[in-house]
Amino acid sequence: MSKVARVGLMITLGALTILVLGKVYAQQPVNVVLARDANTLTLYVPPQATISLQGLRFDVITDSGIITKYLHDYASFALIKFPPLPSPICFRFVRAGTENPLFEACPPSATLTHEISDADVFWYDLTRNLHRTIVVSGNTMPTGVICANAAIVCEIVYVPPTFTPTVPTPTPNTATLTAMYAVPTATPTPTITPTPAMMSLKVSELTLSLICVQTGDTIQVQAKGTIRVGQWVGTVDPDGTEDGAFGVPLGDGFDLVRKYPHGALMCRVEGEKDWRLCGTEAEFTAPSNGCLEFEINDNDQGANSGEFTVVVDVQPGVNLTATSTP
């Protein structure tokens, strides 16, 4: 995709702060890129300091009015710890049933994807085959940065508004938006209640994912794909192998964890000392809060090729050890 000049209008705010779990975070401007086609909408955050996307919303101008969508309302993005967020990171909406390459700047291991039905595609008019104008705003801000309908890629400076998580997300000021952009008034889309999320990522080496869990959550992992783990072993699936070339036993000299098959997929919650065997399918209860880590059971990964596709489903559990943050 060719770069499109920055479009639209940015409103400059003063110093903003946010109180989250008893800690104060400054709400700094965030450089983001919005990229889209008929089947995908990607919000890419380039490498920068840890950032906040609190309150970010899309106000989409349609023939019948304004559709409002909050990023944090989608289940696939609800498990992310923000603020603060690491970067680079990509939030990606994909039209269900379509195959689409990643936006070229998005790292596979730091891309969260949410599938969306044709009826819920908000950034593109599928009937008229036209892109829609999107206004990237925050919380109750009546103005934002415009990504015009002619733009395929928009570079944006997003300024997070003052935001307190304990206060319910307010309804956008639709009347103000309507007056600004001269479109008919429409009732904003109701807030979507976050549900347990299923997310996928690619793993070929040690990977700290952006899938974060809490103590007591049930984590289900399914994996597929193959990795070539050296010329004497060949190709393995996520269950790994105990045999090398011509069926000769490998022993455990090439393993990171000797009790698991060579090349097998392993996982754990960050902070845990020991890896658990995931293989093609696993289920376990989160022993602590943290993001999921994945690794290949191979102590010499330099010559490996290929990757496993890992799908994670997190079901909220009862947090028996939760404590308040001072």
Side-chain angles (χ1 to χ4, degrees), residues 122-194:
F122 60 87
W123 63 92
Y124 192 83
D125 188 329
L126 295 173
T127 302
R128 301 169 59 192
N129 292 321
L130 294 173
H131 290 287
R132 290 168 168 163
T133 295
I134 300 175
V135 183
V136 180
S137 305
N139 220 20
T140 55
M141 292 168 58
T143 63
V145 183
I146 304 172
C147 187
N149 57 2
I152 304 302
V153 176
C154 297
E155 298 178 2
I156 294 169
V157 178
Y158 171 66
V159 183
T162 301
F163 185 87
T164 305
T166 55
V167 177
T169 301
T171 302
N173 190 334
T174 306
T176 305
L177 283 167
T178 301
M180 288 177 55
Y181 304 112
V183 296
T185 302
T187 303
T189 302
T191 298
I192 302 170
T193 302

Side-chain angles (χ1 to χ4, degrees), residues 58-114:
F58 304 113
D59 294 312
V60 185
I61 300 174
T62 72
D63 290 340
S64 58
I66 298 169
I67 301 173
T68 297
K69 302 289 184 179
Y70 283 89
L71 185 66
H72 62 248
D73 282 341
Y74 289 90
S76 297
F77 309 143
L79 295 179
I80 300 303
K81 297 175 178 177
F82 55 92
L85 281 176
S87 61
I89 184 173
C90 284
F91 298 88
R92 183 171 179 252
F93 295 92
V94 175
R95 184 180 169 196
T98 62
E99 295 289 337
N100 306 280
L102 283 178
F103 179 59
E104 58 187 9
C106 289
S109 62
T111 297
L112 297 178
T113 299
H114 184 89

